[in-house]
Amino acid sequence: MSNFQEQKKQYELPSDLIEEFLSVHGFVGKEIDYFNGHTKLVNEDTNQYVKVPTKKVLTNMQVEKCLIDAGLSFTDLDAYVEHLKAMKRFDTIIDQSLKRSTKKD
């Protein structure tokens, strides 16, 4: 259940990130409507759909509407964004360790 009273952050996020987040939650892209400016993602298990604007960056209000339509919360999105940040840090650590020279034979 969504609870938007606990919102603390103002978001401006790429639409691709929102689409990826929704896909993790079972939404699949079904149609791109360039005329009306949105991509429709559908969760066939729950019969829900979300229309994500086809803009490069979404405003806080657009992100909030997508979350409401999907039945998700900013807490869910925060957890996903933090996960992505952790994965990026992990990748950086791995890259740095691979670039280090070793003195082992």
Side-chain angles (χ1 to χ4, degrees):
M1 184 138 196
S2 300
N3 185 355
F4 291 94
Q5 276 105 14
E6 294 181 17
Q7 178 186 348
K8 296 174 186 168
K9 297 181 181 179
Q10 291 291 317
Y11 278 106
E12 281 194 354
L13 294 174
S15 59
D16 291 348
L17 184 103
I18 297 299
E19 290 176 10
E20 184 180 310
F21 169 70
L22 292 170
S23 72
V24 168
H25 291 279
F27 287 84
V28 177
K30 292 292 183 178
E31 143 189 343
I32 300 173
D33 185 345
Y34 290 109
F35 183 73
N36 291 311
H38 67 263
T39 301
K40 184 176 181 180
L41 290 91
V42 177
N43 185 327
E44 293 179 355
D45 293 335
T46 62
N47 293 322
Q48 293 174 293
Y49 69 92
V50 178
K51 292 181 179 178
V52 178
T54 54
K55 295 182 176 183
K56 187 172 184 175
V57 176
L58 302 182
T59 66
N60 189 68
M61 194 165 56
Q62 291 169 322
V63 171
E64 183 176 357
K65 179 164 180 5
C66 290
L67 293 174
I68 290 170
D69 292 347
L72 299 166
S73 70
F74 277 99
T75 303
D76 299 322
L77 183 57
D78 284 338
Y80 182 72
V81 169
E82 290 304 314
H83 168 74
L84 292 178
K85 288 178 184 177
M87 294 302 295
K88 187 172 182 175
R89 284 190 298 268
F90 180 74
D91 288 344
T92 301
I93 291 168
I94 296 298
D95 287 344
Q96 289 173 354
S97 70
L98 292 173
K99 290 177 184 176
R100 252 188 329 205
S101 64
T102 182
K103 297 184 182 194
K104 296 180 183 178
D105 287 328

